[in-house]
Amino acid sequence: MTLFEQFYRFERRVFRFSDLSIESISQKDLKRMVLAKESFSCAFVNIYGVSVCNLFQNFLHFHQCLKLQHEDLVTTDLVGRTTRFTFQLRLPQGHEQRSRHLNERRRESQAVKAERSGESRGSRPDPAPSFGQQRGMESRVTEDSAVKGEEMEPVPPWREAASVMIVVRTSLQELVGNNLASMMHRARSSDRQPASKNHCDYRLLMVKRSGLSSFMANAYVYPGGLVEIADYSPRWYAVFEAVGVTRRSLEEFASGVEGPRPRIITESVTLQCAGVPQSQQSAEGGPLPPDVALRIAAVRETFEETGVLLMARGGPSSSPPSSWYEGVDVVSWQERIRRDPLAFADFCLEARVCPDIWSLHEWWDWLTPTSVGHRRYDTMFYVCCLEKQPDVVLDHSEVVTLKWCTPEEMLEEHSTNAVFLAPPQVYELSRLLHFSSFQALRSFAGERARKGVQRWLPVIVTCMDGAISLLPGDEMYPRKPDYLGKSPGPDYPASVDEMRKRHSGIHRIEVRGPICTARCTVSPPCGHLQPLTYRPDGPLVQSYL
């Protein structure tokens, strides 16, 4: 059988149920995987909008990287008609000896490390370098350091990100066209009645990722992106001090939070990758507190993608006048900040403003499941409520279009496969269905933020007709979830509906092809709300406990 015939059979299996393609994996990643394990399987997930030609190129690239023979490649059928499929590879001869040799070297290095630790016990350690000296370090561990990596603390295999759910009050002119009298009656009767797509007095900003994106291509998401070490730079203290915000107020920014703090706050992966020791993170001249840095990252990435400037001038409730940025060359600054994230501090100093960190309320923290591609992100979601809809200038590289919509409008389009939404977006939109009133949502977001957030790792299980993304609190959620993806998720010979009927305490996102549905019968932690199950042909469903 020729390689193209293999691909043809493979392509038919993949495209049998829906328009799917695979996410390419780099040769560097493949080499690292080969050196790490004696045998392995690589799970890929769908990315919409990639042509069959690109799929074949990825197939060739994957095949050639390991120089496999035809009989070495075994494709498994789609698991329960879901969007996941697996390559199982048998590695070339001689790999077991190489792997055994590497394991022996690793054990020897650990023994030497333990011996040196015993000899140097009680000696005074060298002083740690300052944060300024660490700024030139790579944001990721290099291959050279990985060879010596036995002496380094393990770094989680994901990057940190921050997103903003921007909510704006709908103007009176728009409300008149949407039956204003009915909307006002609903607002007076109950602020938390399930919203109707025609009777909601706020809109939410959603942006569509480029089809060339390596993660969640063509998906509608909230504005945001990666956290950079520049977002932690001590230079930001000068930016805030220039508008009257003291260093002490920044250090005590999150002192009012009484609930749990996720590890993205307490153990920053971004700082670990930059080589900043834990002892220096709160020292004089050290980095910004994570609560501040993550908000700066969210504001910066939102500006890069959409041109929306979430700025303040002197602390909470001190928004600058709307005319302050009339002379700002938004496109030029977007490009400059994209090349150098620390240039965002230069922009703020020049405009005499600072990121409006006070208007960004913590909403929730989501960690990418282990089975979703080879890139994972720990993402903090914030909510920012604005009285007026801001102007948008898309960068047309990371995002290509946008929507100002109600939560129900977005979920309705998703239910008909008109738009692609990732499961966290579906879940959070389903939470927002509780609110038809902008004021009620803004009050709830501000009050609830003091109760803290938790980090959720969805655990994917496959069924005969789809998949289930289990969330903490579900009766099926494992007691010790696998954060590193060391083993594949379970596969059940039952349908998604049958799995739901077997349990009373459910907290999950059901996935059938590209369509996701949130279901919850448990009380979420930290004072949060259950998601309402959206049904396009019926009423919204909530479980009252």
Side-chain angles (χ1 to χ4, degrees):
M1 183 186 301
T2 66
L3 183 61
F4 184 80
E5 288 173 335
Q6 284 192 53
F7 166 74
Y8 180 71
R9 290 183 58 189
F10 162 74
E11 183 268 338
R12 286 182 60 192
R13 297 163 80 98
V14 173
F15 283 84
R16 187 189 311 171
F17 303 117
S18 58
D19 183 15
L20 306 179
S21 61
I22 64 174
E23 181 178 2
S24 63
I25 186 168
S26 68
Q27 187 170 359
K28 179 180 176 182
D29 289 336
L30 280 174
K31 288 181 178 179
R32 184 169 65 250
M33 294 166 66
V34 170
L35 295 177
K37 300 180 181 180
E38 295 184 4
S39 62
F40 63 91
S41 62
C42 304
F44 295 87
V45 295
N46 59 301
I47 289 187
Y48 296 85
V50 181
S51 65
V52 175
C53 179
N54 288 338
L55 175 60
F56 184 48
Q57 290 176 354
N58 288 336
F59 182 84
L60 285 174
H61 173 68
F62 193 89
H63 197 276
Q64 293 171 355
C65 280
L66 294 179
K67 299 180 180 179
L68 301 173
Q69 301 298 321
H70 296 322
E71 59 272 13
D72 292 327
L73 182 62
V74 181
T75 59
T76 62
D77 200 353
L78 284 173
V79 182
R81 295 175 178 256
T82 66
T83 59
R84 191 182 74 176
F85 53 95
T86 305
F87 284 109
Q88 292 181 339
L89 304 176
R90 292 191 295 272
L91 299 178
Q93 293 182 354
H95 171 73
E96 293 185 3
Q97 295 179 356
R98 177 173 175 79
S99 178
R100 191 178 302 110
H101 176 65
L102 290 175
N103 289 333
E104 291 176 357
R105 288 185 57 189
R106 186 177 297 109
R107 285 192 293 268
E108 292 174 359
S109 177
Q110 291 174 349
V112 172
K113 178 183 176 182
E115 183 179 353
R116 290 178 178 176
S117 176
E119 293 175 355
S120 61
R121 187 172 300 168
S123 62
R124 185 175 181 179
D126 294 334
S130 66
F131 180 76
Q133 292 173 320
Q134 298 288 351
R135 280 189 54 195
M137 299 184 65
E138 296 289 338
S139 61
R140 284 283 165 193
V141 179
T142 62
E143 292 186 8
D144 291 339
S145 62
V147 175
K148 307 173 185 178
E150 291 78 13
E151 300 181 4
M152 299 183 63
E153 292 294 328
V155 177
W158 55 74
R159 295 196 65 182
E160 293 172 336
S163 293
V164 188
M165 302 161 62
I166 299 179
V167 180
V168 299
R169 189 192 295 271
T170 306
S171 66
L172 181 62
Q173 183 177 4
E174 292 179 84
L175 291 177
V176 170
N178 292 326
N179 198 337
L180 177 60
S182 176
M183 189 282 302
M184 293 179 65
H185 172 73
R186 291 169 60 86
R188 285 195 301 268
S189 60
S190 173
D191 281 335
R192 287 192 184 177
Q193 283 192 2
S196 167
K197 60 177 179 287
N198 293 323
H199 303 97
C200 186
D201 72 342
Y202 64 87
R203 296 293 183 268
L204 189 71
L205 177 60
M206 304 286 292
V207 295
K208 184 179 181 181
R209 293 179 60 83
S210 168
L212 301 177
S213 298
S214 59
F215 185 78
M216 291 298 170
N218 290 324
Y220 274 90
V221 298
Y222 310 119
L226 289 175
V227 179
E228 303 288 351
I229 190 60
D231 302 317
Y232 283 89
S233 172
R235 188 176 182 186
W236 282 105
Y237 284 119
V239 173
F240 284 95
E241 289 172 352
V243 294
V245 181
T246 65
R247 174 188 292 261
R248 182 173 181 178
S249 64
L250 293 177
E251 294 172 347
E252 299 176 353
F253 178 78
S255 59
V257 179
E258 302 170 353
R261 312 305 293 136
R263 291 196 174 184
I264 194 173
I265 300 294
T266 60
E267 301 176 19
S268 170
V269 173
T270 303
L271 292 178
Q272 290 182 49
C273 291
V276 182
Q278 187 77 23
S279 59
Q280 191 184 335
Q281 294 180 15
S282 58
E284 184 72 21
L288 262 67
D291 289 284
V292 177
L294 291 175
R295 285 172 168 83
I296 291 175
V299 173
R300 174 182 55 77
E301 285 286 343
T302 298
F303 175 63
E304 287 183 26
E305 293 180 348
T306 67
V308 174
L309 287 163
L310 303 175
M311 294 296 174
R313 184 170 285 175
S317 304
S318 61
S319 299
S322 58
S323 59
W324 74 270
Y325 60 89
E326 288 182 354
V328 175
D329 187 348
V330 173
V331 176
S332 175
W333 275 108
Q334 281 178 308
E335 181 61 30
R336 181 176 171 183
I337 294 171
R338 190 177 299 112
R339 293 194 304 266
D340 178 15
L342 196 55
F344 190 40
D346 298 332
F347 169 79
C348 293
L349 287 170
E350 182 175 314
R352 298 192 301 278
V353 294
C354 66
D356 190 1
I357 59 177
W358 302 272
S359 294
L360 271 63
H361 304 294
E362 282 184 357
W363 189 256
W364 211 246
D365 182 13
W366 290 85
L367 179 60
T368 307
T370 58
S371 58
V372 181
H374 66 286
R375 295 189 178 186
R376 300 178 63 198
Y377 302 95
D378 185 2
T379 306
M380 178 68 81
F381 284 27
Y382 295 96
V383 170
C384 179
C385 297
L386 304 177
E387 288 287 345
K388 184 179 179 181
Q389 181 173 311
D391 296 330
V392 176
V393 181
L394 294 179
D395 67 347
H396 293 291
S397 59
E398 298 181 42
V399 298
V400 294
T401 188
L402 64 91
K403 282 179 178 286
W404 288 102
C405 55
T406 66
E408 190 170 352
E409 287 172 343
M410 205 66 190
L411 290 173
E412 182 179 28
E413 292 191 53
H414 175 65
S415 68
T416 60
N417 203 17
V419 299
F420 172 42
L421 294 173
Q425 274 72 22
V426 172
Y427 188 96
E428 299 303 353
L429 286 170
S430 300
R431 272 177 166 167
L432 294 179
L433 291 174
H434 283 274
F435 301 98
S436 61
S437 165
F438 171 85
Q439 185 59 43
L441 173 56
R442 180 165 63 179
S443 299
F444 173 81
E447 295 171 2
R448 196 226 59 81
R450 293 196 294 268
K451 300 178 182 179
V453 301
Q454 295 179 358
R455 182 177 68 186
W456 279 354
L457 169 67
V459 175
I460 309 298
V461 300
T462 55
C463 303
M464 294 179 61
D465 61 344
I468 301 174
S469 179
L470 300 174
L471 299 173
D474 194 289
E475 292 180 1
M476 292 181 61
Y477 195 81
R479 296 181 62 182
K480 294 183 178 181
D482 178 13
Y483 280 85
L484 303 180
K486 295 181 179 179
S487 59
D491 182 13
Y492 292 95
S495 68
V496 172
D497 291 338
E498 290 172 345
M499 295 298 294
R500 187 190 327 124
K501 294 176 182 178
R502 294 179 183 179
H503 305 275
S504 58
I506 62 174
H507 188 204
R508 60 187 63 177
I509 302 173
E510 297 175 350
V511 183
R512 292 179 174 87
I515 310 301
C516 303
T517 305
R519 297 187 182 274
C520 181
T521 62
V522 301
S523 297
C526 304
H528 233 309
L529 299 172
Q530 290 179 334
L532 294 178
T533 300
Y534 178 76
R535 295 179 178 176
D537 54 351
L540 301 173
V541 178
Q542 179 183 12
S543 172
Y544 295 95
L545 303 179

